Amino acid sequence: MEGVQQEAQNREAFRQAVTNTLERRLFYIPSFKIYRGVAGLYDYGPPGCAVKSNVLAFWRQHFVLEENMLEVDCPCVTPEVVLKASGHVDKFTDLMVKDEKIGTCYRADHLLKDFCKDKLERDPNLPAEKAAEFKHVLAVLDDLSSEELGAKIKEYGITAPDTKNPLSAPYPFNLMFQTSIGPSGVSPGYMRPETAQGIFVNFKDLYYYNGNKLPFAAAQIGQAFRNEISPRQGLLRVREFTLAEIEHFVDPEDKSHPKFPDVAKLEFLMFPREDQVSGRSARRIHIGEAVAQGIVNNETLGYFIGRVYLFLTQLGIDKDRLRFRQHLANEMAHYAADCWDAEIECSHGWIECVGIADRSAYDLRAHTDKSGVPLVAHEKFTEPREVEKLIIVPVKKELGLAFKGNQRMVVEALEAMGEKEAMEMKATLESKGEAAFHVCTLDKVVTINKDMVSISKEMKKEHQRVFTPSVIEPSFGIGRIIYCLYEHSFNTRPSKDGDEQMHFFCFPPLVAPIKCTVFPLVQNQQYEEVARQIARSLTAYGISYKIDITGTSIGKRYARTDELGVPFAITVDSTSSVTIRERDSKQQIRVNVDEVASVIKEVIDGQSTWGDVLWRYPTHSS
């Protein structure tokens, strides 16, 4: 138990060191700080903006360009009807409890999670059976119903964290920010909770733009909004955040992917549901084997899992602290064929940063039903095919006499019948002359007689197949990925005289906010002119840099630049050649002034490694 407590303290100290450095160097800060801030809202400062911009640029290169995706940019304000169709209005909720005396609200599952974790980490006298019980509660937390959560909170005597007042029973709270469109207030809307719906409602036009061909993918980067009940954990749980989402539309009868062999040999930590249920740990599996064995549902889903692994590891995420966890059966939406989360381990535990789901045809069907616009694809046959077709012909005159103003809804319900239901109705009408029929839109059962509808099967020639595509959806929480990247890149080393620990970020050049700094060794007009000449060359190559001409010691300037994660420092100590220092190794080489920018460019672009240039140029001892 002491080991668990020590580990928790170490995690907390590490997290505090990272957060303090990030806020002090303005990577991010609480929004509206001079007004004491608002929970769950953060501002990115200059280095944070640069890191985010670099991550998104690489995302576009790695996914949008590589797969020829169609990128869109849709509004954040969304009409209610769209989010009603997608299910967000009715189901996008978290369970909330309220302080019964002062009304402060809390996430019910967070309070239970914190209680169990606190007992496991801080109670040295906790009996083994109680420890096992708390671990079990943490494992099934996401599956607990409102009643079960309430019972556990009551059983453990959990009270409001700030006041110790009693708590209400848990009740659902919709996480969307509500608004109205236009001055009248009669057109309700919401701030979008995800960017995906903008892609789904544009499917018909995107399909046409793509030459009516499948498969194709559409992508969107943008802000999403969730009115979190009690946000904490910094950038991991916020009320406004950036999502990067892909919707890859594919024929449900063919989910193969031509580029799957490119990733099939990748091996990484995977956590299939069978291993989770049986209490085993995540294990290394080749993605090719996972698809072949049916652990991953299909090639296209497997291809994107592989591409997500490459994306995250090339950003600088530690491959040993990255796993792909399959959703358990009770986590899966009823329509999903398979779903995996890319989870990254940080001081807060394993954090879901990317969701990769096969959502079947649910979204397009939902918007087809609500809008009346068919969001479908077509497969033209080389030769016409004879197929047996179900023909349902409502007799509108008879239905109008019987149902008057409700005629249209009864007609639509009859036309929407599946084959099994229609053939059962046909048999009942032939034997009894009438049949009971449930009309969903009226929410009642009506009586249909044999004069009101004709049901038959006919052989027809078809020249094409019309179907609703399935969608494979990788969805990236950019803020979460960036925070985990900060933790994975954070390092300490002793100062030159060894009396203190210096913090630094070892970002790969790809995501570093500034690629290099330029230091004249001393305040000298000639050296400063050389520094400006190098700066002009760096600008011409599109390389971000910072000039530091303060009179501070070179050691302190190196420390400042390391703390921002800048990979290279150029020190001007003569008018003909300069030194380039690499951040992680602190090794230095001497390079002619007119070559400096091209050397930096080839290393940050990945054309050469630091080892390559170290071999080519003379080393310099400080």
Side-chain angles (χ1 to χ4, degrees):
M1 190 60 73
E2 281 181 22
V4 173
Q5 289 174 318
Q6 187 59 51
E7 190 182 327
Q9 288 168 3
N10 292 345
R11 274 202 313 270
E12 181 62 41
F14 172 78
R15 185 188 309 141
Q16 204 58 54
V18 175
T19 304
N20 288 347
T21 306
L22 290 169
E23 290 197 16
R24 184 165 46 79
R25 297 314 305 266
L26 230 59
F27 279 86
Y28 74 92
I29 51 173
S31 300
F32 319 111
K33 196 174 171 184
I34 63 171
Y35 293 100
R36 286 185 263 178
V38 176
L41 295 175
Y42 291 91
D43 295 342
Y44 284 79
C49 278
V51 169
K52 182 180 175 183
S53 175
N54 293 338
V55 168
L56 291 176
F58 182 55
W59 189 87
R60 278 195 172 94
Q61 178 193 327
H62 189 80
F63 291 106
V64 179
L65 291 180
E66 179 71 26
E67 311 301 332
N68 281 314
M69 293 179 180
L70 311 180
E71 189 171 358
V72 298
D73 188 356
C74 306
C76 295
V77 177
T78 307
E80 183 182 54
V81 65
V82 174
L83 294 165
K84 190 85 177 163
S86 66
H88 285 89
V89 171
D90 298 322
K91 296 176 182 172
F92 197 64
T93 57
D94 275 339
L95 291 170
M96 179 166 82
V97 288
K98 194 178 275 190
D99 182 317
E100 290 193 329
K101 291 187 178 174
I102 64 170
T104 307
C105 299
Y106 304 93
R107 271 270 298 261
D109 59 335
H110 283 178
L111 292 185
L112 183 56
K113 180 182 181 181
D114 288 348
F115 176 85
C116 294
K117 284 182 78 174
D118 194 62
K119 286 288 183 187
L120 287 166
E121 291 172 359
R122 300 181 194 276
D123 187 349
N125 304 313
L126 192 66
E129 63 272 15
K130 266 292 175 193
E133 180 187 329
F134 291 145
K135 283 177 184 173
H136 175 71
V137 170
L138 288 172
V140 300
L141 194 60
D142 291 340
D143 304 325
L144 296 180
S145 67
S146 173
E147 293 74 20
E148 290 167 331
L149 261 176
K152 282 291 176 194
I153 287 170
K154 202 168 183 181
E155 180 189 338
Y156 295 150
I158 298 171
T159 54
D162 304 318
T163 62
K164 306 304 175 198
N165 291 333
L167 295 165
S168 69
Y171 60 96
F173 170 76
N174 193 294
L175 298 175
M176 290 192 294
F177 286 98
Q178 191 163 14
T179 184
S180 59
I181 302 169
S184 65
V186 296
S187 181
Y190 295 90
M191 302 302 287
R192 65 183 180 191
E194 61 178 32
T195 62
Q197 300 309 317
I199 297 175
F200 294 134
V201 299
N202 282 310
F203 171 79
K204 187 176 180 181
D205 292 326
L206 290 169
Y207 180 57
Y208 174 76
Y209 181 87
N210 200 53
N212 294 330
K213 289 190 175 75
L214 281 182
F216 75 90
Q220 181 168 196
I221 296 170
Q223 297 303 98
F225 305 82
R226 296 181 185 180
N227 195 11
E228 293 285 352
I229 295 163
S230 49
R232 53 221 172 127
Q233 298 183 325
L235 295 182
L236 296 180
R237 191 167 291 281
V238 291
R239 288 179 164 134
E240 179 181 348
F241 50 94
T242 302
L243 281 178
E245 294 192 292
I246 296 164
E247 309 302 331
H248 180 93
F249 298 102
V250 63
D251 187 334
E253 293 180 9
D254 180 13
K255 292 180 182 176
S256 62
H257 198 290
K259 289 160 73 176
F260 182 68
D262 296 352
V263 302
K265 290 182 180 171
L266 290 174
E267 184 186 58
F268 41 79
L269 281 173
M270 298 190 77
F271 204 8
R273 67 171 66 97
E274 288 74 15
D275 291 3
Q276 296 171 58
V277 170
S278 58
R280 293 194 292 268
S281 300
R283 55 196 165 100
R284 294 194 177 281
I285 306 175
H286 285 96
I287 188 65
E289 290 174 17
V291 171
Q293 293 169 17
I295 297 170
V296 171
N297 185 271
N298 59 75
E299 272 191 10
T300 298
L301 188 63
Y303 176 71
F304 278 109
I305 290 172
R307 292 291 294 167
V308 168
Y309 169 80
L310 291 173
F311 171 73
L312 293 173
T313 52
Q314 286 173 40
L315 280 182
I317 296 298
D318 180 356
K319 66 181 188 328
D320 295 322
R321 287 186 281 167
L322 167 64
R323 72 182 185 192
F324 290 82
R325 186 186 72 83
Q326 188 175 29
H327 280 205
L328 298 171
N330 52 13
E331 285 181 89
M332 295 260 286
H334 65 276
Y335 51 78
D338 197 4
C339 189
W340 294 75
D341 288 338
E343 296 183 331
I344 303 173
E345 190 181 27
C346 70
S347 63
H348 292 280
W350 287 97
I351 302 297
E352 173 206 340
C353 293
V354 187
I356 310 129
D358 181 337
R359 294 174 62 87
S360 299
Y362 171 79
D363 302 279
L364 294 182
R365 284 202 180 118
H367 287 298
T368 295
D369 291 346
K370 193 75 174 175
S371 69
V373 177
L375 303 176
V376 294
H378 306 83
E379 180 196 2
K380 286 190 167 57
F381 300 143
T382 49
E383 294 287 331
R385 296 181 187 176
E386 287 272 340
V387 292
E388 191 176 47
K389 294 288 288 183
L390 176 70
I391 309 293
I392 301 171
V393 182
V395 181
K396 292 182 181 177
K397 182 182 174 184
E398 295 291 331
L399 291 165
L401 290 169
F403 300 109
K404 299 183 171 59
N406 292 328
Q407 179 213 40
R408 183 177 60 82
M409 286 181 272
V410 177
V411 168
E412 286 175 353
L414 287 169
E415 289 175 338
M417 281 193 295
E419 185 173 331
K420 186 182 176 197
E421 185 184 9
M423 296 316 288
E424 285 172 357
M425 178 181 278
K426 177 180 168 69
T428 306
L429 291 174
E430 286 172 356
S431 62
K432 298 181 179 176
E434 61 181 37
F437 179 54
H438 182 257
V439 180
C440 295
T441 45
L442 293 175
D443 196 24
K444 67 178 183 181
V445 175
V446 300
T447 301
I448 301 292
N449 66 46
K450 62 181 180 180
D451 298 325
M452 294 177 180
V453 65
S454 160
I455 301 169
S456 61
K457 279 190 173 183
E458 295 178 13
M459 295 304 293
K460 290 186 75 175
K461 276 190 176 180
E462 283 201 341
H463 297 267
Q464 63 177 2
R465 167 176 156 249
V466 180
F467 61 93
T468 306
S470 285
V471 66
I472 313 289
E473 179 191 71
S475 176
F476 299 73
I478 298 300
R480 289 185 167 197
I481 292 169
I482 288 172
Y483 178 77
C484 291
L485 176 63
Y486 288 151
E487 282 206 7
H488 286 206
S489 303
F490 190 72
N491 258 309
T492 57
R493 60 184 169 210
S495 60
K496 195 170 184 181
D497 49 18
D499 60 347
E500 63 176 320
Q501 289 292 310
M502 311 296 287
H503 297 146
F504 69 103
F505 288 102
C506 53
F507 298 125
L510 178 72
V511 294
I514 301 164
K515 306 307 181 192
C516 64
T517 43
V518 186
F519 303 144
L521 185 62
V522 291
Q523 286 180 312
N524 168 305
Q525 192 174 348
Q526 282 185 308
Y527 288 180
E528 287 174 19
E529 180 49 45
V530 171
R532 281 191 282 272
Q533 180 188 333
I534 291 169
R536 286 193 292 271
S537 304
L538 293 168
T539 302
Y541 276 112
I543 298 167
S544 59
Y545 65 89
K546 189 175 182 181
I547 290 187
D548 188 342
I549 55 172
T550 59
T552 324
S553 74
I554 198 72
K556 285 185 178 172
R557 282 186 277 176
Y558 282 151
R560 278 205 298 253
T561 204
D562 290 348
E563 206 171 38
L564 282 172
V566 180
F568 302 106
I570 300 162
T571 304
V572 181
D573 55 1
S574 86
T575 55
S576 58
S577 67
V578 297
T579 67
I580 301 178
R581 170 191 180 266
E582 196 268 337
R583 177 198 58 216
D584 299 341
S585 65
K586 299 199 283 186
Q587 293 170 316
Q588 297 184 50
I589 56 171
R590 184 159 287 283
V591 179
N592 290 336
V593 170
D594 56 1
E595 292 181 74
V596 172
S598 61
V599 169
I600 297 289
K601 175 76 173 167
E602 68 179 84
V603 178
I604 66 169
D605 282 357
Q607 296 164 357
S608 301
T609 64
W610 174 250
D612 295 333
V613 296
L614 196 62
W615 181 78
R616 281 187 356 234
Y617 291 93
T619 55
H620 172 83
S621 300
S622 56

